[in-house]
Amino acid sequence: MWEIIKTSLPQLLAAGFKYTIPLAIISFFFGLIIALVTALIRLSRQRGAFMILKWITSFYVWLFRSTPLLVQLFIVFFGLPYLRIKGVLPHGIKLEPFTAGIITFSLNTGAYASETIRAAISSVPTGQWEAGAAIGMTRLQILWRIILPQALRVALPPLSNSFISLVKDTSLAASITIMEMFAVSQQIAAENYQPLLMYTLVAMVYAAFTTILSYFQGYLERVVDRQVNANNR
């Protein structure tokens, strides 16, 4: 058993640092951008043609929150190649596994995180907007300098939890042939016929990663709290 662990653990860690962590970080980065834009559009008071954009973003959030992540991965990787449009996409949309994973995880993260950001921005008292406008600040300046820093304090814990969950969700990328940690554990288990040991080992590696991330989450929350308290003095 120890010999298997000794030979398998380096392979799992290598897959983690080569695919799992980069996949999670890149997807979360783009997911946050999507989430912020989506949240701001849904919070906007603009009317007219802008309502169409609000409807599209609302539909996007509903769609990705209402369907399983695994199904989304399969649609993007296995389904899009069959989206053939004569004269436009004669061969469908074929994506590399890693690219398909980033697109799917980013869109999924963006849908969930947009609700977190929207709630955080809404939690800031409306008087903050009025106070900024009273001293001549534009709406964009108020948002950037006053609203978002306060919203960050509220949104940070759930967003950090979302990132930790995303790290674990990357195990689903094995289903589209990305050789992240879980896929490597499956491959090794098929060779040594020790599935219980290998799956337990990869579970412990995920637990170690998430424990480290949880520590940094607490550290970031303390830093943000100190910064906000210093600005309020």
Side-chain angles (χ1 to χ4, degrees):
M1 180 182 72
W2 292 111
E3 185 62 29
I4 293 175
I5 293 176
K6 182 180 177 180
T7 56
S8 302
L9 186 58
Q11 298 180 58
L12 294 177
L13 291 174
F17 287 110
K18 186 176 181 180
Y19 290 108
T20 300
I21 298 300
L23 182 60
I25 292 175
I26 296 171
S27 299
F28 193 71
F29 173 77
F30 286 114
L32 283 182
I33 296 175
I34 295 171
L36 180 59
V37 173
T38 300
L40 292 177
I41 290 174
R42 298 187 68 192
L43 286 170
S44 174
R45 298 177 181 176
Q46 297 291 328
R47 300 300 179 189
F50 196 82
M51 294 299 294
I52 298 175
L53 191 57
K54 294 183 72 171
W55 183 88
I56 292 173
T57 55
S58 296
F59 177 77
Y60 151 67
V61 172
W62 169 82
L63 180 65
F64 277 86
R65 294 181 70 199
S66 303
T67 54
L69 178 55
L70 183 60
V71 175
Q72 296 166 15
L73 278 168
F74 273 50
I75 290 174
V76 172
F77 185 68
F78 295 111
L80 289 184
Y82 292 91
L83 183 64
R84 300 188 180 101
I85 302 175
K86 188 175 181 180
V88 180
L89 296 170
H91 306 293
I93 302 174
K94 297 179 181 179
L95 301 170
E96 292 295 322
F98 195 80
T99 303
I102 289 176
I103 291 173
T104 306
F105 288 128
S106 296
L107 290 172
N108 184 271
T109 298
Y112 281 94
S114 69
E115 291 295 274
T116 299
I117 295 174
R118 186 166 70 95
I121 293 176
S122 297
S123 70
V124 179
T126 55
Q128 300 288 328
W129 291 94
E130 296 169 358
I135 61 175
M137 296 177 69
T138 65
R139 192 166 180 82
L140 182 60
Q141 289 174 326
I142 297 170
L143 177 68
W144 184 255
R145 298 181 183 180
I146 299 176
I147 305 301
L148 288 183
Q150 296 181 67
L152 175 62
R153 187 179 189 180
V154 177
L156 184 58
L159 288 178
S160 299
N161 289 334
S162 296
F163 178 68
I164 292 172
S165 295
L166 178 59
V167 172
K168 294 182 289 184
D169 288 341
T170 56
S171 61
L172 295 175
S175 63
I176 59 171
T177 71
I178 296 178
M179 293 306 294
E180 47 70 59
M181 290 194 297
F182 184 64
V184 171
S185 70
Q186 289 179 308
Q187 189 178 65
I188 298 175
E191 296 172 355
N192 60 24
Y193 303 103
Q194 295 290 336
L196 178 59
L197 176 60
M198 289 309 307
Y199 296 150
T200 301
L201 181 60
V202 75
M204 296 305 296
V205 175
Y206 275 112
F209 280 176
T210 55
T211 299
I212 295 171
L213 291 173
S214 297
Y215 170 80
F216 281 110
Q217 174 186 350
Y219 173 76
L220 283 175
E221 290 177 14
R222 291 192 295 271
V223 169
V224 171
D225 284 341
R226 287 198 299 266
Q227 186 64 37
V228 171
N229 292 333
N231 291 337
N232 290 335
R233 289 174 185 173

